[in-house]
Amino acid sequence: MSHFVIVGAGECGARAAFALREKGFDGEITLVGSEAIAPYERPPLSKASVLETLDPKFIASLEKYAESGIRLLSDVTAQDVDPVAKTVTCSDGSRLAYDKMLLATGAIARPLPGAAMNSAHIRSLRTHADAMALRKAMLPGKHIAIIGGGFIGLELAAMARMLCADVTVIEGLERVLKRGVPEDIAHVITQRHRAEGVDVRCGIAISALTEEGGKAIVRLSTGETIEADLVLVGIGAIPSTELAMRAGLTIENGIAVNEYLMTSAPDIYAAGDCCSFPLAIYGGRRVRLESWRNAQEQGTLAAANMMGVDEAISAVPWFWSDQYDMTLQIAGLSEGAVTHLRRDLGESAFMLFHLDEAGRLLAASGIGPGNAVARDIRLAEMLIAARAHPDPAALVASNIKLKSLLAA
Ligand SMILES: Cc1cc2nc3c(=O)[nH]c(=O)nc-3n(C[C@H](O)[C@H](O)[C@H](O)COP(=O)(O)OP(=O)(O)OC[C@H]3O[C@@H](n4cnc5c(N)ncnc54)[C@H](O)[C@@H]3O)c2cc1C
């Protein structure tokens, strides 16, 4: 009987395991995960919408794994892969022989150089345990300092304000969300945080971050010192590639895979946050995405390809973030765009379309209350997938339905 081993029991690994069964794989499946609990969703860890619960949102119940014949090994780390003998050695002393393997090792939070990370007063946010530690400090009168004005930092700032903690966000660049979010949208988000009482400070570097006398002390390049009950370091993520690197696999901003999610070693696939891949809709440009839907889609695609389907990656990148009652959504990749067109959607919602020199739609981003932008972003995504060159005048005219552009 064939044995497929999946290393990494996160969004991607768990989805891949179930997808194998849904697609009719009848061999053995082992899902190996370092974390002590069953696979859970990470997005809720920083979302204020789930303030009422401290429980992890599990992807599936333990019964579902058992019923599906998926052997879930929690609290077990895959330490070494031998791609020639086709074995994986694990931290519990076991050695698993595989016919095919999927690496879905995800990413870890980027540490701040020189700081004692994950101590009593300095945390990052990647796991449920991190989220619990942060939540404990989010109390009225407590001061939370957030280093990094990225998605996780800003979502956490919103959560902390809703729990009545004082919040300072310190961003090194001249504005928040510099990576991948248009300035107009970042401006709306910054204004909202300020209106909610968050002290958002941009263009300030950190000279040192230490713990002293039961507090975290942030020393700024301006010479100022900020004292906080807790500091969240939210300065991005690093793909988990050590296992693949030790196995001799090609690494290129993540585990390098081809359009079928195959690594440089036979019968080893990689998917989700840990891998970089060529994206045909952008001329085969190699990208690495850190997004929930990408992890799901690639997990499902990897499962199909491990079963011999040979289907290439074709999905349009998509990301969302919730802050207060606002949702931001981005479809596509805007690098290379020279024209940025605005379409108002009412209810203080708007979208931006990003087009290249030839007028091809590369990306669309939108912000608004609740799911005000969801439908139009979905239509934009379809236009991007179709490599459409929509009429710019129609894109900005709110009375012309985007659906009609699809038909064109
Ligand atoms: C706080 C937070 C909020 C987010 N919010 C959003 C959002 O709003 N929208 C969005 O699109 N995306 C969001 N994301 C991103 C999204 O959650 C990730 O893209 C997704 O979880 C990636 O899934 P993955 O399975 O590739 O990696 P991960 O979820 O990181 O899972 C990888 C797993 O592999 C395990 N592992 C690693 N190495 C080994 C090993 N050697 N042996 C065994 N196990 C191993 C890890 O412990 C981990 O459990 C958020 C992420 C975080 C952290």
Side-chain angles (χ1 to χ4, degrees):
M1 193 191 277
S2 285
H3 184 198
F4 286 3
V5 173
I6 301 171
V7 175
E11 188 72 49
C12 181
R15 298 287 169 190
F18 286 109
L20 282 170
R21 284 291 180 246
E22 281 151 23
K23 291 173 194 301
F25 177 68
D26 61 2
E28 276 182 70
I29 302 173
T30 305
L31 177 57
V32 186
S34 300
E35 291 183 68
I37 55 174
Y40 55 91
E41 306 282 5
R42 285 182 212 284
L45 302 180
S46 53
K47 305 281 182 292
S49 54
V50 287
L51 276 177
E52 65 280 359
T53 172
L54 294 174
D55 297 332
K57 187 174 174 216
F58 290 112
I59 291 172
S61 64
L62 288 176
E63 293 73 44
K64 180 99 189 284
Y65 290 92
E67 275 164 25
S68 307
I70 297 166
R71 188 158 65 117
L72 173 63
L73 303 180
S74 296
D75 211 2
V76 175
T77 298
Q79 291 177 322
D80 274 300
V81 174
D82 182 337
V84 178
K86 296 177 82 171
T87 55
V88 190
T89 309
C90 297
S91 56
D92 62 354
S94 63
R95 178 170 297 179
L96 307 170
Y98 66 82
D99 293 287
K100 294 198 181 175
M101 182 169 67
L102 171 63
L103 294 174
T105 49
I108 54 163
R110 184 184 293 278
L112 186 76
M117 296 298 304
N118 295 338
S119 54
H121 304 282
I122 304 173
R123 303 290 306 197
S124 52
L125 175 54
R126 185 79 198 175
T127 64
H128 181 254
D130 294 334
M132 291 305 93
L134 286 161
R135 285 281 285 277
K136 271 195 213 138
M138 290 183 188
L139 297 167
K142 295 280 182 193
H143 183 206
I144 315 283
I146 297 174
I147 299 180
F151 289 112
I152 287 183
L154 292 173
E155 286 187 355
L156 213 88
M159 189 186 241
R161 281 308 295 144
M162 289 168 92
L163 291 167
C164 301
D166 298 329
V167 183
T168 306
V169 173
I170 307 149
E171 166 57 53
L173 300 173
E174 71 276 14
R175 70 162 170 95
V176 301
L177 298 172
K178 182 89 178 156
R179 201 172 59 126
V181 177
E183 195 163 351
D184 290 9
I185 291 183
H187 179 73
V188 170
I189 291 173
T190 306
Q191 293 303 100
R192 178 62 186 271
H193 277 285
R194 287 188 172 141
E196 297 284 349
V198 178
D199 183 11
V200 182
R201 307 177 65 172
C202 297
I204 297 176
I206 308 294
S207 313
L209 173 59
T210 52
E211 280 187 305
E212 291 164 35
K215 298 265 181 190
I217 309 293
V218 192
R219 293 194 167 77
L220 306 179
S221 53
T222 54
E224 260 176 288
T225 295
I226 292 179
E227 201 179 274
D229 295 288
L230 191 102
V231 167
L232 167 75
V233 176
I235 54 172
I238 308 173
S240 298
T241 55
E242 312 89 272
L243 184 66
M245 216 183 300
R246 275 203 302 279
L249 274 55
T250 304
I251 309 292
E252 215 181 316
N253 179 29
I255 305 168
V257 295
N258 66 11
E259 65 271 43
Y260 303 105
L261 296 169
M262 297 159 92
T263 68
S264 56
D267 296 322
I268 303 182
Y269 295 73
D273 280 19
C274 69
C275 79
S276 71
F277 59 95
L279 203 46
I281 52 162
Y282 296 109
R285 197 168 97 216
R286 181 164 288 279
V287 298
R288 190 176 68 78
L289 302 177
E290 289 166 13
S291 100
W292 176 83
R293 196 170 83 181
N294 176 64
Q296 280 202 346
E297 286 172 347
Q298 289 198 345
T300 308
L301 184 64
N305 288 344
M306 288 166 86
M307 292 174 67
V309 173
D310 286 345
E311 190 183 322
I313 301 164
S314 62
V316 174
W318 178 85
F319 183 87
W320 97 98
S321 171
D322 294 333
Q323 293 168 41
Y324 308 104
D325 61 346
M326 299 182 299
T327 296
L328 152 73
Q329 290 198 22
I330 300 176
L333 301 175
S334 59
E335 283 89 343
V338 295
T339 309
H340 309 275
L341 302 171
R342 180 178 167 129
R343 178 185 180 93
D344 288 307
L345 301 175
E347 265 195 278
S348 66
F350 69 93
M351 275 176 83
L352 297 169
F353 296 96
H354 312 281
L355 293 87
D356 70 9
E357 263 176 27
R360 181 182 151 197
L361 182 63
L362 295 178
S365 30
I367 189 159
N371 59 3
V373 301
R375 196 196 44 183
D376 282 339
I377 287 282
R378 175 78 195 121
L379 290 165
E381 205 182 312
M382 291 158 88
L383 288 166
I384 296 165
R387 304 177 196 214
H389 293 66
D391 174 9
L395 286 178
V396 298
S398 314
N399 58 333
I400 299 179
K401 289 196 176 348
L402 288 185
K403 211 171 174 181
S404 67
L405 303 183
L406 256 182

